[in-house]
Amino acid sequence: MSIDRLRAHYGFTRMPFSKDLAPGMLHSHSAHAEAVARMSWCIAEQAIGVISGECGAGKTVAARAAVASLDASRHTVLYLGTPGVGLRGVYTTIITGLGGVPRFHHAALIPQAQELLAAETEERGKRVLVIIDEAHLLDAESLEGVRCLSNMGMDQAAPFCLLLLGQPTLRRRLRQATFTALDQRIAVRYAINGLDQAETTSYVKHHLALAGRSDNLFSDDAIDLIHATSRGLPRLINNLAVASLVAAFASNKAVVDEATARVAVAEVSAE
Ligand SMILES: Nc1ncnc2c1ncn2[C@@H]1O[C@H](COP(=O)(O)OP(=O)(O)OP(=O)(O)O)[C@@H](O)[C@H]1O
Ligand SMILES: [Mg+2]
């Protein structure tokens, strides 16, 4: 079955529930808006923030939205997407991101990163934002490196904003005694939870409307089932909604009803 035939069947102008939405097209449910607001506050205050949430809850999307609202000429954003490569990995990304060539010795990397970060602010007048995504994967050594970064400028406010995004285990990790120094410097902690039922309905309709269908393509009970199965987690909602569209198309239905959504749930949970 081709995507083109599926699109034609429903008269979609684009495929709904795609993961590459432009920041202006995102759905603004409360957890998303709250996470973006907190990240924006951390950026303005140059504070450390921890944003946690289950897989597919919308952490990376929220961070992208917060970054998109920044004046690019006044901010330098360093995004570390796949940490877990040790202290050297974390520092190498920061140093090269700021135009430096990482020094050979481990011990020299920390002051080098600190100098470059300070220069970005003092000489170029830019606010620096370091985002470490998937931070629950950071090993102890990398977290220690992050702690050293957060120690910059003695006890004055660090001259940059640090956002750690990760699954709920991240919050537990940071509470361990070894990381107390870092934990105490965290100004904002926010857990992105799933959407509630009304938000899931609005979320599904939002994605469908972006694809050109503002009518009731999904029945209410189909959306309720998708909500219950996904626990309101956006990525799971997307997967179930797409599977529902495919199932309805395969049985030549014009709308997604509850029976169709049930088929989709069975397929997605069997994967
Ligand atoms: N506010 C939103 N508006 C529209 N779609 C969203 C929104 N938030 C999340 N999504 C959808 O949910 C998907 C998952 O979001 P995201 O990748 O941010 O989750 P995550 O919490 O970073 O997950 P992981 O822990 O796996 O990295 C996105 O690809 C996007 O399609
Ligand atoms: Mg993510």
Side-chain angles (χ1 to χ4, degrees), residues 184-200:
Q184 283 182 354
R185 289 182 158 80
I186 297 168
V188 166
R189 292 162 211 267
Y190 186 71
I192 301 189
N193 290 318
L195 285 65
D196 66 22
Q197 182 135 355
E199 288 176 328
T200 299

PDB file of all heavy atoms in Angstrom, residues 184-200:
ATOM      1  N   GLN A 184      21.962  20.478  43.440  1.00  0.00           N
ATOM      2  CA  GLN A 184      21.607  21.695  44.178  1.00  0.00           C
ATOM      3  C   GLN A 184      21.561  22.928  43.298  1.00  0.00           C
ATOM      4  O   GLN A 184      20.950  23.927  43.650  1.00  0.00           O
ATOM      5  CB  GLN A 184      22.620  21.933  45.305  1.00  0.00           C
ATOM      6  CG  GLN A 184      22.395  21.027  46.484  1.00  0.00           C
ATOM      7  CD  GLN A 184      23.377  21.316  47.604  1.00  0.00           C
ATOM      8  OE1 GLN A 184      24.293  22.129  47.433  1.00  0.00           O
ATOM      9  NE2 GLN A 184      23.191  20.667  48.731  1.00  0.00           N
ATOM     10  N   ARG A 185      22.239  22.861  42.161  1.00  0.00           N
ATOM     11  CA  ARG A 185      22.256  24.021  41.274  1.00  0.00           C
ATOM     12  C   ARG A 185      21.099  24.030  40.277  1.00  0.00           C
ATOM     13  O   ARG A 185      20.982  24.960  39.487  1.00  0.00           O
ATOM     14  CB  ARG A 185      23.582  24.062  40.505  1.00  0.00           C
ATOM     15  CG  ARG A 185      24.748  24.429  41.381  1.00  0.00           C
ATOM     16  CD  ARG A 185      26.011  24.502  40.536  1.00  0.00           C
ATOM     17  NE  ARG A 185      27.023  25.330  41.172  1.00  0.00           N
ATOM     18  CZ  ARG A 185      27.806  24.919  42.151  1.00  0.00           C
ATOM     19  NH1 ARG A 185      27.695  23.687  42.614  1.00  0.00           N
ATOM     20  NH2 ARG A 185      28.699  25.726  42.673  1.00  0.00           N
ATOM     21  N   ILE A 186      20.287  22.987  40.310  1.00  0.00           N
ATOM     22  CA  ILE A 186      19.170  22.928  39.364  1.00  0.00           C
ATOM     23  C   ILE A 186      18.059  23.860  39.824  1.00  0.00           C
ATOM     24  O   ILE A 186      17.525  23.709  40.916  1.00  0.00           O
ATOM     25  CB  ILE A 186      18.663  21.477  39.221  1.00  0.00           C
ATOM     26  CG1 ILE A 186      19.780  20.606  38.641  1.00  0.00           C
ATOM     27  CG2 ILE A 186      17.414  21.417  38.331  1.00  0.00           C
ATOM     28  CD1 ILE A 186      19.504  19.119  38.715  1.00  0.00           C
ATOM     29  N   ALA A 187      17.759  24.839  38.977  1.00  0.00           N
ATOM     30  CA  ALA A 187      16.770  25.847  39.360  1.00  0.00           C
ATOM     31  C   ALA A 187      15.357  25.412  39.001  1.00  0.00           C
ATOM     32  O   ALA A 187      14.399  25.780  39.674  1.00  0.00           O
ATOM     33  CB  ALA A 187      17.100  27.175  38.669  1.00  0.00           C
ATOM     34  N   VAL A 188      15.249  24.645  37.933  1.00  0.00           N
ATOM     35  CA  VAL A 188      13.926  24.270  37.444  1.00  0.00           C
ATOM     36  C   VAL A 188      13.888  22.781  37.140  1.00  0.00           C
ATOM     37  O   VAL A 188      14.806  22.245  36.517  1.00  0.00           O
ATOM     38  CB  VAL A 188      13.615  25.057  36.138  1.00  0.00           C
ATOM     39  CG1 VAL A 188      12.415  24.459  35.423  1.00  0.00           C
ATOM     40  CG2 VAL A 188      13.370  26.525  36.423  1.00  0.00           C
ATOM     41  N   ARG A 189      12.865  22.128  37.626  1.00  0.00           N
ATOM     42  CA  ARG A 189      12.642  20.716  37.268  1.00  0.00           C
ATOM     43  C   ARG A 189      11.221  20.610  36.786  1.00  0.00           C
ATOM     44  O   ARG A 189      10.301  21.076  37.455  1.00  0.00           O
ATOM     45  CB  ARG A 189      12.754  19.815  38.506  1.00  0.00           C
ATOM     46  CG  ARG A 189      14.121  19.712  39.076  1.00  0.00           C
ATOM     47  CD  ARG A 189      14.010  19.191  40.516  1.00  0.00           C
ATOM     48  NE  ARG A 189      15.098  19.751  41.290  1.00  0.00           N
ATOM     49  CZ  ARG A 189      16.258  19.141  41.455  1.00  0.00           C
ATOM     50  NH1 ARG A 189      16.462  17.938  40.959  1.00  0.00           N
ATOM     51  NH2 ARG A 189      17.217  19.720  42.141  1.00  0.00           N
ATOM     52  N   TYR A 190      11.053  19.982  35.660  1.00  0.00           N
ATOM     53  CA  TYR A 190       9.695  19.828  35.156  1.00  0.00           C
ATOM     54  C   TYR A 190       9.540  18.466  34.506  1.00  0.00           C
ATOM     55  O   TYR A 190      10.391  18.039  33.735  1.00  0.00           O
ATOM     56  CB  TYR A 190       9.352  20.941  34.160  1.00  0.00           C
ATOM     57  CG  TYR A 190       7.906  20.878  33.736  1.00  0.00           C
ATOM     58  CD1 TYR A 190       6.900  21.223  34.630  1.00  0.00           C
ATOM     59  CD2 TYR A 190       7.556  20.428  32.472  1.00  0.00           C
ATOM     60  CE1 TYR A 190       5.560  21.119  34.270  1.00  0.00           C
ATOM     61  CE2 TYR A 190       6.222  20.327  32.098  1.00  0.00           C
ATOM     62  CZ  TYR A 190       5.229  20.678  32.998  1.00  0.00           C
ATOM     63  OH  TYR A 190       3.914  20.572  32.650  1.00  0.00           O
ATOM     64  N   ALA A 191       8.464  17.770  34.858  1.00  0.00           N
ATOM     65  CA  ALA A 191       8.178  16.471  34.254  1.00  0.00           C
ATOM     66  C   ALA A 191       7.056  16.640  33.232  1.00  0.00           C
ATOM     67  O   ALA A 191       5.983  17.144  33.563  1.00  0.00           O
ATOM     68  CB  ALA A 191       7.750  15.478  35.336  1.00  0.00           C
ATOM     69  N   ILE A 192       7.342  16.278  32.002  1.00  0.00           N
ATOM     70  CA  ILE A 192       6.320  16.348  30.949  1.00  0.00           C
ATOM     71  C   ILE A 192       5.466  15.089  31.029  1.00  0.00           C
ATOM     72  O   ILE A 192       5.943  13.992  30.758  1.00  0.00           O
ATOM     73  CB  ILE A 192       6.966  16.451  29.545  1.00  0.00           C
ATOM     74  CG1 ILE A 192       7.849  17.691  29.452  1.00  0.00           C
ATOM     75  CG2 ILE A 192       5.893  16.473  28.456  1.00  0.00           C
ATOM     76  CD1 ILE A 192       8.346  18.004  28.052  1.00  0.00           C
ATOM     77  N   ASN A 193       4.222  15.250  31.420  1.00  0.00           N
ATOM     78  CA  ASN A 193       3.323  14.106  31.501  1.00  0.00           C
ATOM     79  C   ASN A 193       2.519  13.977  30.219  1.00  0.00           C
ATOM     80  O   ASN A 193       2.547  14.848  29.365  1.00  0.00           O
ATOM     81  CB  ASN A 193       2.389  14.267  32.699  1.00  0.00           C
ATOM     82  CG  ASN A 193       3.148  14.104  34.003  1.00  0.00           C
ATOM     83  OD1 ASN A 193       3.997  13.208  34.125  1.00  0.00           O
ATOM     84  ND2 ASN A 193       2.874  14.966  34.959  1.00  0.00           N
ATOM     85  N   GLY A 194       1.779  12.879  30.123  1.00  0.00           N
ATOM     86  CA  GLY A 194       0.937  12.664  28.954  1.00  0.00           C
ATOM     87  C   GLY A 194      -0.222  13.652  28.908  1.00  0.00           C
ATOM     88  O   GLY A 194      -0.538  14.316  29.894  1.00  0.00           O
ATOM     89  N   LEU A 195      -0.837  13.737  27.749  1.00  0.00           N
ATOM     90  CA  LEU A 195      -1.990  14.617  27.572  1.00  0.00           C
ATOM     91  C   LEU A 195      -3.203  14.014  28.282  1.00  0.00           C
ATOM     92  O   LEU A 195      -3.299  12.797  28.419  1.00  0.00           O
ATOM     93  CB  LEU A 195      -2.310  14.763  26.074  1.00  0.00           C
ATOM     94  CG  LEU A 195      -1.397  15.653  25.237  1.00  0.00           C
ATOM     95  CD1 LEU A 195       0.021  15.115  25.145  1.00  0.00           C
ATOM     96  CD2 LEU A 195      -1.973  15.826  23.830  1.00  0.00           C
ATOM     97  N   ASP A 196      -4.116  14.875  28.729  1.00  0.00           N
ATOM     98  CA  ASP A 196      -5.364  14.326  29.274  1.00  0.00           C
ATOM     99  C   ASP A 196      -6.305  14.050  28.100  1.00  0.00           C
ATOM    100  O   ASP A 196      -5.979  14.325  26.946  1.00  0.00           O
ATOM    101  CB  ASP A 196      -5.974  15.266  30.336  1.00  0.00           C
ATOM    102  CG  ASP A 196      -6.435  16.603  29.768  1.00  0.00           C
ATOM    103  OD1 ASP A 196      -6.686  16.681  28.549  1.00  0.00           O
ATOM    104  OD2 ASP A 196      -6.540  17.565  30.548  1.00  0.00           O
ATOM    105  N   GLN A 197      -7.452  13.498  28.432  1.00  0.00           N
ATOM    106  CA  GLN A 197      -8.358  13.047  27.365  1.00  0.00           C
ATOM    107  C   GLN A 197      -8.766  14.176  26.404  1.00  0.00           C
ATOM    108  O   GLN A 197      -8.743  14.002  25.186  1.00  0.00           O
ATOM    109  CB  GLN A 197      -9.611  12.441  28.013  1.00  0.00           C
ATOM    110  CG  GLN A 197     -10.585  11.912  27.003  1.00  0.00           C
ATOM    111  CD  GLN A 197     -11.109  10.535  27.410  1.00  0.00           C
ATOM    112  OE1 GLN A 197     -10.671   9.959  28.401  1.00  0.00           O
ATOM    113  NE2 GLN A 197     -12.029  10.013  26.636  1.00  0.00           N
ATOM    114  N   ALA A 198      -9.130  15.326  26.969  1.00  0.00           N
ATOM    115  CA  ALA A 198      -9.561  16.445  26.115  1.00  0.00           C
ATOM    116  C   ALA A 198      -8.393  16.911  25.241  1.00  0.00           C
ATOM    117  O   ALA A 198      -8.578  17.261  24.068  1.00  0.00           O
ATOM    118  CB  ALA A 198     -10.064  17.592  26.985  1.00  0.00           C
ATOM    119  N   GLU A 199      -7.187  16.902  25.816  1.00  0.00           N
ATOM    120  CA  GLU A 199      -6.017  17.327  25.046  1.00  0.00           C
ATOM    121  C   GLU A 199      -5.699  16.336  23.921  1.00  0.00           C
ATOM    122  O   GLU A 199      -5.288  16.737  22.835  1.00  0.00           O
ATOM    123  CB  GLU A 199      -4.799  17.473  25.967  1.00  0.00           C
ATOM    124  CG  GLU A 199      -4.891  18.688  26.889  1.00  0.00           C
ATOM    125  CD  GLU A 199      -3.731  18.763  27.869  1.00  0.00           C
ATOM    126  OE1 GLU A 199      -3.223  17.688  28.281  1.00  0.00           O
ATOM    127  OE2 GLU A 199      -3.338  19.878  28.231  1.00  0.00           O
ATOM    128  N   THR A 200      -5.863  15.037  24.201  1.00  0.00           N
ATOM    129  CA  THR A 200      -5.613  14.046  23.160  1.00  0.00           C
ATOM    130  C   THR A 200      -6.568  14.270  21.983  1.00  0.00           C
ATOM    131  O   THR A 200      -6.166  14.229  20.819  1.00  0.00           O
ATOM    132  CB  THR A 200      -5.761  12.610  23.706  1.00  0.00           C
ATOM    133  OG1 THR A 200      -4.811  12.423  24.747  1.00  0.00           O
ATOM    134  CG2 THR A 200      -5.527  11.569  22.620  1.00  0.00           C
TER     135      THR A 200
END
